[in-house]
C-alpha cells in the first residue's frame, strides 16, 4: 500500500473553530466519502456542533460541511445502494436522512428523520433492495460478461405490491432495541420498534447482515469478551398499514480467547464486531483488546449433525428419515497477539468467501476483495486475508515521519516519543483498490491498495485484473475512480483496446445498455496519458454526439398511428445506410418528409445543438489532411464508420428542418454568397464515410477527397471547437509515486504527472470564453450565471435553465441527475466560475 494523497484542514485564525477527531466515515459506490467532526466553540466549551463533511474523491478539497443538528456525537453514517442518500445517527437516538439538493454533491439537506427517545444508536443499515451481483474470478478469462458477473437470487428485506422492494432503514440501540423506518410511496415514514429478545440488556457493539430469504440478522455483544456474542433473526412486515417486527434468537458464540487458559483475562473487551460481508450472515469477525494489544478471530456458522442417543441407534431406520442437524458457530482462524487495533475495514467487492475461492486466488493472483484492513495504534495498517487472516501487506505512518512502505523490521524500529498518528476510522472503496482513513489529527488520507498485494506480476496479468474491475464497474454502474489510481500511462492504450474487444464480444442488447458507459470509461482512461489525451477529446465528443442524435431522432413522429414496427428514426438510419449518394437532396427524396414536420419553436430552441453538429462536421473535414498521427483531436472519428454515419443522418434531418424553419439551420461564414454549405459538407462527409463503412472494406481517403478538404478553410471559416472541459481533479496528478499534500478549501494547482506538452484543446487561457458544454452556448469570459461541473470529466453547464421550450427542457432533463459521462454534478464555487 502507498499513500495517494492526504487532505489537511486549512490553517485557521486564532479563536476560530478547530476540528476535533473524526471518528466515523463511509464510502459510497459513487466515490463520495462522508465523515464527521465535532466543532467546539472557544466562547463555550460545552457548545459543540456535530458536523458531517462530504467530498468526492476527485476533488477532495471541495468539502461540503453540514451542521447536522444532532445533539450528541454521531455514531453511524450509512450510504444507500445508489450512493445518493446518507443516513446519520447519534447518541441521542436521532436518525436523519440526507439527500442531494438539485443533485449536487456539494449541496445536501435533511429530508426525513426518526427518533428513538434518548436511546443511543450503535448500528444502522438501509434495508436490502434484493440486488446482489456475484464476481466469478475464475471466469475472468471468459468473453461473456454474464459468466463473469451473475445476478444472485436474493430477496429484498420487504416488498411492496408486485415485488418492488420497499425502502427504509433499520437501527439497533444500546438498550437492545431494534427500530425500523419504512419509506411509504407518498414520502411519509412508517416506524416501529421491538426488543431483540425478551430480556433486554446493554448492547455495546452490533452489526447487521441480510439473508437470501429476505431476513435480517443482527449480531450484538455487551462489550465483555467473557459474555456471549448473540445473534438474532429479524423479520419485517407490513400488516394493516402498520409495521411489524418479529425477532428470534439464533445460536450464539463465546470468543476463543476467553476459553484459552493462556489468554482468559488478557483481552477483556470486545472492540470490533463485523459480519464479513453485508449479504453473508454466516461469517463474522471479532476483535478483543486490552490497553496495549488485540486479537482477531473469524467465525463461521455451520450445519452439523446432532448425535443420537444409543437407545435409538439400534432401531430400524424409517425410509427417508435424515439425521437431525443443528446450526453451530465454529472458529475458522485466529491471529496471534497484535498491536492494539484502532479501526477495521472490510472489502465490499462481492467475491464469495469459501474454500474454493481460497484455491482460486493463488491461481489467478487476484487479491482485491480478499483482504481486510486492520489499523493499529502505532500508525500502521495491515491487510489480512479475510478468511484465513494470514498477513498480506502493510503500510506504516508515524507522527514523526512521512508515509512509507513497511516490513517486519519497520515495526520493530525505535519510535520517537510523542503521540502516534493512527487511524480512527477506515473504509475500503467499492472495488477494494483504495482505502480512506481519518487520523487522530483530523486529516483525511487516501491510500492505494495494490491489486496484486505487492506480488510481482507480469504486465498482462495486471492488465487483466484492472480490465476485470473496469468491466465490473461498467456492468454495475459504480464509479471506477479507484481503479484509475493503479493505471499507469503505459497501460492506457492496451486497456482501451482490450476493453473494446471484450465489449464487442457481448450480445447486441448488452452493447446498447453499455454503449455510453464504455465511451465514458475510455475517455477517463485516455486522460491519464499524454499520448492518448487527444482520444479523450474524441470520446467526449462522441458522448455528446450520441446524445444529440438520440434527442433529435426522438422528435420524429410517425405520420400515421398504425405504422410498421420501425420508428421514423430507424427508417432514417436504414435509408441513409443504404443510399450512398453524395447529394443530400437525393437522399432526402427517399424519406417521408411528413414525419419531420415539427412546430417552429422546438426547432428554433434546438438551434445551438444543430449548430454544434454543423461545426463539428466542418472541423473534422477541415482537419482531415492534418491527421498524420493519433495525437491530434478528431483522429478517432476518421475511421469510425458508425459515428460518421450518425453525423450524416443528422445533416439530412437538418436539411429537411431547414426547409420548414430556415432559422434553425447552422450558420457558416462562407467566402461566396452562392455556396451551399450543407450540401458541400454532406458530399465530403459521405466520401469519408464510404472509406470506413462497417459493412465494407476499410480504405484510405483518396487524394481527391484530401485535396477538397484542403480547400475547405478557403471556402468556409473553420470554428475552434471546445473539445474537452477542463478537468481540475486529482486523478491525473496521482500517476507518480509521490503523494499529494492538499488542504480543504484550497483547490489543487499542481500540474498533471502524465508528462509531455499539453494539447491546445485541453488548455484554456485566462481570458478565453467559458463554454456551457451541454447547451453548446458561450457563457462569456466572466459568467454571471451559477454553474455546475461534472466530478468526473469537468463538463460545465449552467445550474438554472434559461430555456422555456419543451424541446430544450427534454434535452436538459437528460442531465439533471448525471453528466453525459455518468459523473455527478458539483456546484462550482463563485470564485472559480
Amino acid at each position: 500500500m502507498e499513500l495517494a494523497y492526504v487532505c489537511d484542514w486549512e490553517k485557521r485564525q486564532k479563536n476560530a473553530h478547530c476540528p476535533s477527531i473524526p471518528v466515523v466515515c463511509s464510502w459510497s459506490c459513487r466515490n463520495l466519502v462522508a465523515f464527521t467532526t465535532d466543532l467546539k466553540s472557544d466562547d463555550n466549551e460545552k457548545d459543540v456542533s456535530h458536523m458531517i463533511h462530504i467530498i468526492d474523491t476527485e476533488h477532495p478539497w471541495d468539502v461540503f460541511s453540514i451542521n447536522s443538528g444532532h445533539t450528541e456525537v454521531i455514531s453511524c453514517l450509512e450510504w444507500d445502494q445508489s450512493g445518493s442518500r446518507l443516513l446519520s445517527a447519534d447518541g441521542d437516538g436521532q436518525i436523519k436522512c440526507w439527500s442531494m439538493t438539485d443533485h449536487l454533491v456539494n449541496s445536501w439537506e435533511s429530508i426525513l428523520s426518526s427518533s428513538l427517545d434518548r436511546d443511543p444508536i450503535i448500528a444502522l443499515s438501509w434495508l436490502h433492495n434484493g440486488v446482489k451481483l456475484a464476481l466469478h474470478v475464475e471466469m475472468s478469462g471468459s468473453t461473456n460478461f454474464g459468466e463473469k458477473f451473475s445476478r444472485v437470487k436474493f430477496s429484498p428485506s420487504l416488498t411492496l405490491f408486485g415485488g418492488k422492494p420497499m425502502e427504509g432503514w433499520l437501527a439497533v440501540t444500546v438498550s437492545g432495541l431494534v427500530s425500523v423506518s419504512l419509506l411509504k410511496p407518498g414520502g411519509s415514514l412508517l416506524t416501529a420498534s421491538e426488543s431483540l429478545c425478551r430480556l433486554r440488556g446493554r448492547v455495546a457493539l452490533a452489526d447487521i447482515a441480510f439473508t437470501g430469504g429476505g431476513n435480517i440478522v443482527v449480531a450484538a455483544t455487551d462489550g465483555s469478551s467473557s459474555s456471549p456474542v448473540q445473534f438474532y433473526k429479524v423479520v419485517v412486515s407490513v400488516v394493516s398499514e402498520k409495521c411489524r417486527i418479529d425477532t428470534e434468537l439464533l445460536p450464539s458464540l463465546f470468543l476463543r480467547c476467553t476459553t484459552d487458559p493462556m489468554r482468559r483475562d488478557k483481552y477483556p473487551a470486545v472492540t470490533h464486531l463485523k459480519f464479513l460481508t453485508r449479504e453473508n450472515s454466516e461469517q463474522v469477525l471479532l476483535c478483543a483488546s486490552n490497553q496495549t494489544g488485540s486479537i482477531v478471530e473469524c467465525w463461521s456458522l455451520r450445519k452439523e449433525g446432532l448425535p443420537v442417543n444409543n437407545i435409538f441407534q439400534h432401531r430400524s431406520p424409517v425410509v427417508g428419515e435424515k439425521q437431525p442437524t443443528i446450526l453451530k458457530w465454529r472458529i475458522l482462524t485466529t491471529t496471534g497477539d497484535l498491536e492494539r487495533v484502532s479501526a477495521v475495514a472490510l472489502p465490499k467487492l462481492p467475491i464469495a468467501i469459501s474454500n474454493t475461492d481460497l484455491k482460486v486466488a493463488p491461481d489467478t493472483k487476484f487479491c482485491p476483495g480478499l483482504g481486510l484492513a486492520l489499523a493499529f495504534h502505532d500508525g500502521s495498517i495491515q491487510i489480512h486475508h479475510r478468511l484465513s487472516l494470514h498477513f498480506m501487506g502493510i503500510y506504516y505512518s508515524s507522527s514523526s515521519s512521512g508515509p512509507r512502505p513497511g516490513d517486519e523490521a519497520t515495526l520493530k524500529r525505535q519510535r520517537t516519543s510523542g503521540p502516534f498518528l493512527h487511524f480512527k476510522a477506515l473504509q475500503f472503496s467499492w472495488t477494494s483498490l483504495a482505502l480512506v482513513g481519518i487520523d487522530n489529527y483530523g486529516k483525511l488520507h487516501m491510500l492505494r491498495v495494490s491489486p496484486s498485494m505487492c506480488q510481482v506480476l507480469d504486465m498482462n496479468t495486471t492488465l487483466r485484473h484492472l480490465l476485470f474491475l473496469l468491466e465490473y464497474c461498467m456492468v454495475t454502474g459504480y464509479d471506477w475512480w479507484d481503479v484509475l489510481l493503479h493505471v499507469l500511462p503505459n497501460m492506457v492504450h492496451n486497456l482501451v483496446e482490450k476493453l473494446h474487444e471484450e465489449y464487442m464480444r457481448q450480445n447486441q442488447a448488452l452493447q446498447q445498455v453499455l454503449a455510453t458507459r464504455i465511451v465514458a470509461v475510455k475517455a477517463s482512461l485516455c486522460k491519464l496519458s499524454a499520448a492518448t489525451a487527444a482520444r479523450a477529446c474524441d470520446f467526449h465528443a462522441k458522448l455528446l454526439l450520441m446524445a444529440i442524435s438520440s434527442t433529435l431522432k426522438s422528435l420524429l413522429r410517425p405520420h400515421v398511428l398504425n405504422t410498421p414496427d420501425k420508428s421514423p428514426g430507424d427508417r432514417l438510419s436504414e435509408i441513409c445506410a443504404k443510399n450512398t449518394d453524395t447529394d443530400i437532396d437525393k437522399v432526402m427524396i427517399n424519406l417521408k418528409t411528413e414525419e419531420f414536420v415539427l412546430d417552429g419553436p422546438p426547432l428554433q430552441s434546438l438551434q445551438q445543438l444543430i449548430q454544434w453538429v454543423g461545426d463539428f462536421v466542418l472541423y473534422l473535414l477541415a482537419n482531415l489532411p492534418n491527421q498524420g498521427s493519433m495525437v491530434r483531436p478528431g483522429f478517432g472519428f476518421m475511421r469510425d464508420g458508425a459515428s460518421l454515419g450518425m453525423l450524416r443522418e443528422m445533416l439530412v434531418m437538418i436539411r429537411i428542418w431547414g426547409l420548414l424553419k430556415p432559422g434553425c439551420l447552422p450558420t457558416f461564414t462562407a467566402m461566396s454568397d452562392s455556396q451551399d454549405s450543407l450540401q458541400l459538407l454532406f458530399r465530403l462527409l459521405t466520401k469519408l464515410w464510404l472509406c470506413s463503412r462497417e459493412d465494407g472494406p476499410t480504405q484510405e481517403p483518396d487524394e481527391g477527397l484530401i485535396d477538397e478538404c484542403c480547400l475547405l478553410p478557403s471556402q468556409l471559416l473553420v470554428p475552434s471547437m471546445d473539445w474537452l472541459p477542463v478537468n481540475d481533479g486529482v486523478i491525473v496528478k496521482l500517476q507518480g509515486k509521490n503523494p499529494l499534500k492538499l488542504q480543504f478549501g484550497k483547490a489543487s494547482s499542481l500540474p498533471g504527472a502524465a508528462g509531455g506538452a499539453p494539447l491546445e484543446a485541453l488548455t484554456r487561457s485566462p481570458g478565453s470564453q467559458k463554454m456551457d458544454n451541454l447547451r453548446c452556448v458561450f457563457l462569456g469570459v466572466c459568467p454571471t450565471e451559477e454553474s455546475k461541473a461534472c466530478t468526473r470529466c469537468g463538463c460545465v453547464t449552467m445550474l438554472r435553465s434559461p430555456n422555456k421550450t419543451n424541446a430544450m427542457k427534454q434535452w436538459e432533463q437528460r442531465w439533471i441527475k448525471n453528466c453525459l459521462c455518468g459523473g455527478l454534478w458539483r456546484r462550482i464555487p463563485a470564485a472559480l466560475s
Side-chain angles (χ1 to χ4, degrees):
M1 286 190 294
E2 63 181 22
L3 192 66
Y5 64 70
V6 56
C7 275
D8 195 1
W9 286 99
E10 184 179 353
K11 298 298 183 289
R12 307 284 177 169
Q13 297 285 334
K14 192 176 181 181
N15 299 326
H17 297 293
C18 297
S20 66
I21 302 170
V23 290
V24 186
C25 74
S26 186
W27 194 329
S28 82
C29 63
R30 306 300 298 274
N31 277 319
L32 299 178
V33 174
F35 58 100
T36 64
T37 62
D38 299 331
L39 294 180
K40 293 183 179 180
S41 171
D42 289 343
D43 301 330
N44 184 1
E45 285 293 321
K46 295 182 179 179
D47 186 9
V48 179
S49 299
H50 304 286
M51 308 293 293
I52 298 175
H53 310 282
I54 298 174
I55 63 166
D56 73 276
T57 52
E58 180 70 341
H59 304 87
W61 56 84
D62 186 13
V63 61
F64 182 74
S65 300
I66 310 166
N67 190 339
S68 65
H70 284 289
T71 55
E72 293 291 339
V73 174
I74 298 170
S75 56
C76 303
L77 287 177
E78 282 293 323
W79 291 99
D80 71 345
Q81 288 85 354
S82 67
S84 59
R85 287 179 300 182
L86 179 70
L87 289 177
S88 63
D90 65 13
D92 197 40
Q94 298 286 330
I95 302 173
K96 295 192 176 188
C97 178
W98 303 88
S99 181
M100 294 184 196
T101 307
D102 297 328
H103 308 285
L104 299 169
V105 298
N106 52 359
S107 182
W108 294 76
E109 62 180 354
S110 178
I111 52 173
L112 292 165
S113 64
S114 62
S115 176
L116 292 164
D117 191 24
R118 300 194 178 280
D119 200 351
I121 293 165
I122 55 171
L124 184 66
S125 175
W126 289 88
L127 296 181
H128 203 284
N129 61 359
V131 177
K132 183 185 177 185
L133 204 70
L135 258 73
H136 304 286
V137 180
E138 68 279 7
M139 302 299 293
S140 59
S142 172
T143 58
N144 186 355
F145 284 177
E147 294 178 354
K148 296 179 182 179
F149 321 107
S150 64
R151 180 79 177 263
V152 178
K153 189 177 180 181
F154 208 88
S155 298
S157 303
L158 188 61
T159 54
L160 295 166
F161 179 77
K164 182 182 178 182
M166 193 169 189
E167 293 184 314
W169 59 79
L170 178 138
V172 180
T173 71
V174 75
S175 68
L177 202 66
V178 58
S179 173
V180 173
S181 298
L182 304 176
L183 292 171
K184 296 172 71 174
S188 58
L189 275 181
L190 189 64
T191 60
S193 300
E194 186 63 54
S195 176
L196 281 172
C197 60
R198 290 182 179 179
L199 296 176
R200 284 173 64 181
R202 178 178 180 271
V203 178
L205 296 171
D207 198 19
I208 301 166
F210 302 91
T211 68
N215 297 326
I216 304 164
V217 177
V218 175
T221 175
D222 63 4
S224 172
S225 59
S226 58
S227 301
V229 179
Q230 302 279 6
F231 295 85
Y232 307 91
K233 183 173 79 172
V234 179
V235 181
V236 182
S237 58
V238 176
V239 181
S240 302
E241 296 296 322
K242 292 184 178 180
C243 181
R244 177 177 171 180
I245 303 173
D246 296 303
T247 61
E248 178 186 333
L249 188 62
L250 297 176
S252 58
L253 65 87
F254 281 91
L255 270 74
R256 168 63 64 88
C257 62
T258 60
T259 60
D260 183 355
M262 303 294 293
R263 293 193 177 103
R264 177 168 295 174
D265 301 317
K266 188 172 183 180
Y267 301 106
V270 180
T271 52
H272 297 88
L273 164 63
K274 291 180 180 291
F275 287 106
L276 285 188
T277 62
R278 187 167 154 268
E279 284 102 0
N280 187 350
S281 61
E282 298 179 355
Q283 287 167 327
V284 69
L285 187 82
L286 293 159
C287 175
S289 306
N290 56 26
Q291 291 296 321
T292 58
S294 298
I295 189 169
V296 178
E297 299 178 0
C298 186
W299 290 74
S300 176
L301 187 65
R302 296 180 180 177
K303 190 179 289 186
E304 297 183 357
L306 194 63
V308 181
N309 194 284
N310 293 334
I311 299 174
F312 303 101
Q313 288 184 354
H314 299 293
R315 69 182 182 88
S316 58
V318 179
V319 177
E321 185 179 6
K322 296 180 181 179
Q323 182 185 10
T325 57
I326 188 172
L327 290 172
K328 196 169 185 179
W329 285 99
R330 292 288 185 186
I331 190 164
L332 288 176
T333 185
T334 180
T335 63
D337 296 332
L338 304 169
E339 287 274 352
R340 190 179 177 193
V341 174
S342 60
V344 177
L346 290 167
K348 301 182 178 75
L349 207 61
I351 295 177
I353 38 180
S354 63
N355 292 329
T356 309
D357 294 290
L358 289 174
K359 298 172 184 175
V360 170
D363 298 335
T364 60
K365 310 291 186 190
F366 186 84
C367 295
L370 290 179
L372 59 89
L374 301 176
F376 298 96
H377 276 266
D378 65 355
S380 64
I381 298 177
Q382 293 183 18
I383 304 290
H384 290 255
H385 194 287
R386 66 177 180 180
L387 204 61
S388 65
L389 294 181
H390 72 254
F391 175 81
M392 297 175 73
I394 191 171
Y395 163 85
Y396 183 80
S397 174
S398 73
S399 58
S400 61
S401 60
R404 66 186 71 180
D407 51 17
E408 293 301 321
T410 311
L411 293 177
K412 296 176 182 177
R413 73 175 186 269
Q414 280 295 112
R415 311 286 209 276
T416 57
S417 60
F420 285 113
L421 181 153
H422 65 271
F423 292 93
K424 301 286 289 183
L426 205 61
Q427 275 271 320
F428 266 110
S429 69
W430 281 67
T431 62
S432 305
L433 292 186
L435 270 171
V436 65
I438 313 293
D439 69 22
N440 53 328
Y441 290 98
K443 296 179 183 179
L444 181 142
H445 300 250
M446 183 67 63
L447 295 96
R448 283 185 268 233
V449 181
S450 169
S452 61
M453 283 299 167
C454 303
Q455 300 179 73
V456 179
L457 301 181
D458 60 276
M459 181 64 78
N460 289 333
T461 306
T462 303
L463 286 174
R464 191 171 70 244
H465 292 169
L466 295 175
L467 180 66
F468 183 60
L469 291 171
L470 285 172
E471 291 168 349
Y472 167 70
C473 291
M474 276 174 49
V475 171
T476 57
Y478 295 160
D479 197 283
W480 53 88
W481 180 89
D482 42 340
V483 182
L484 299 181
L485 282 174
H486 302 271
V487 178
L488 301 176
N490 61 344
M491 299 179 180
V492 171
H493 179 73
N494 287 335
L495 267 178
V496 171
E497 295 303 316
K498 289 180 181 295
L499 193 65
H500 182 74
E501 290 174 10
E502 293 296 319
Y503 169 79
M504 295 304 295
R505 290 170 179 164
Q506 309 310 310
N507 60 58
Q508 196 66 32
L510 187 56
Q511 284 189 25
Q512 289 184 2
V513 171
L514 303 178
T516 54
R517 285 185 195 168
I518 187 171
V519 178
V521 173
K522 289 178 181 178
S524 53
L525 281 170
C526 288
K527 288 178 190 173
L528 301 179
S529 170
T532 55
R535 296 187 68 185
C537 301
D538 294 349
F539 289 130
H540 187 272
K542 187 171 182 178
L543 283 171
L544 188 55
L545 176 62
M546 292 164 65
I548 293 176
S549 174
S550 62
T551 299
L552 296 185
K553 284 183 179 179
S554 69
L555 296 175
L556 306 180
R557 295 290 182 267
H559 183 61
V560 184
L561 289 179
N562 55 345
T563 54
D565 54 349
K566 290 183 179 177
S567 66
D570 292 335
R571 282 198 295 276
L572 171 67
S573 300
E574 186 177 335
I575 290 170
C576 289
K578 289 180 180 178
N579 194 327
T580 60
D581 205 303
T582 57
D583 190 334
I584 191 170
D585 295 324
K586 290 182 180 179
V587 177
M588 190 176 65
I589 291 173
N590 298 313
L591 294 167
K592 296 178 180 179
T593 52
E594 61 269 15
E595 295 179 342
F596 293 79
V597 176
L598 297 174
D599 295 331
L603 287 175
Q604 192 63 48
S605 65
L606 294 170
Q607 199 277 332
Q608 64 260 34
L609 301 183
I610 293 173
Q611 182 69 46
W612 185 89
V613 173
D615 289 346
F616 187 72
V617 173
L618 177 55
Y619 180 93
L620 285 182
L621 294 172
N623 282 277
L624 177 62
N626 302 324
Q627 298 295 339
S629 67
M630 293 182 66
V631 176
R632 196 174 181 85
F635 180 87
F637 284 92
M638 302 307 173
R639 299 290 182 272
D640 188 351
S643 295
L644 294 175
M646 203 182 299
L647 286 167
R648 193 166 171 267
E649 294 166 17
M650 283 192 280
L651 289 185
V652 173
M653 276 194 289
I654 292 168
R655 182 71 163 191
I656 297 173
W657 286 338
L659 299 175
L660 304 171
K661 182 74 175 176
C664 76
L665 285 171
T667 56
F668 300 101
T669 305
M671 305 305 171
S672 170
D673 293 337
S674 60
Q675 175 69 58
D676 189 343
S677 304
L678 214 56
Q679 176 79 291
L680 173 63
L681 293 178
F682 184 84
R683 180 166 59 82
L684 297 178
L685 180 64
T686 302
K687 288 183 178 181
L688 180 60
W689 169 68
L690 290 172
C691 297
S692 55
R693 291 180 67 188
E694 293 180 337
D695 54 351
T698 304
Q699 51 188 330
E700 291 295 320
D702 58 27
E703 292 294 329
L705 174 59
I706 292 177
D707 289 343
E708 286 190 87
C709 290
C710 284
L711 294 173
L712 200 55
S714 64
Q715 297 170 296
L716 297 171
L717 182 65
V718 180
S720 60
M721 294 293 293
D722 191 354
W723 279 87
L724 193 71
V726 178
N727 186 4
D728 59 345
V730 298
I731 194 69
V732 294
K733 302 164 187 175
L734 295 174
Q735 301 304 307
K737 295 296 182 183
N738 294 326
L740 295 182
K741 178 77 172 180
L742 307 169
Q743 283 189 348
F744 289 124
K746 290 187 177 180
S748 171
S749 58
L750 296 173
L759 284 170
E760 182 183 348
L762 301 177
T763 57
R764 303 284 184 273
S765 62
S768 63
Q769 287 263 10
K770 304 298 188 296
M771 182 85 175
D772 186 320
N773 301 108
L774 289 186
R775 295 181 178 90
C776 302
V777 294
F778 287 104
L779 301 175
V781 178
C782 297
T784 56
E785 291 287 330
E786 279 192 297
S787 300
K788 59 183 180 181
C790 174
T791 57
R792 182 183 290 159
C793 70
C795 179
V796 175
T797 187
M798 284 181 283
L799 193 59
R800 308 295 174 202
S801 172
N803 302 290
K804 304 299 181 185
T805 60
N806 290 331
M808 204 58 197
K809 284 181 180 177
Q810 176 189 344
W811 168 256
E812 292 169 351
Q813 282 297 317
R814 286 172 169 261
W815 323 117
I816 195 72
K817 292 184 178 179
N818 303 101
C819 174
L820 53 85
C821 72
L824 295 168
W825 294 114
R826 67 186 183 101
R827 188 195 301 268
I828 303 177
L832 300 177
S833 61

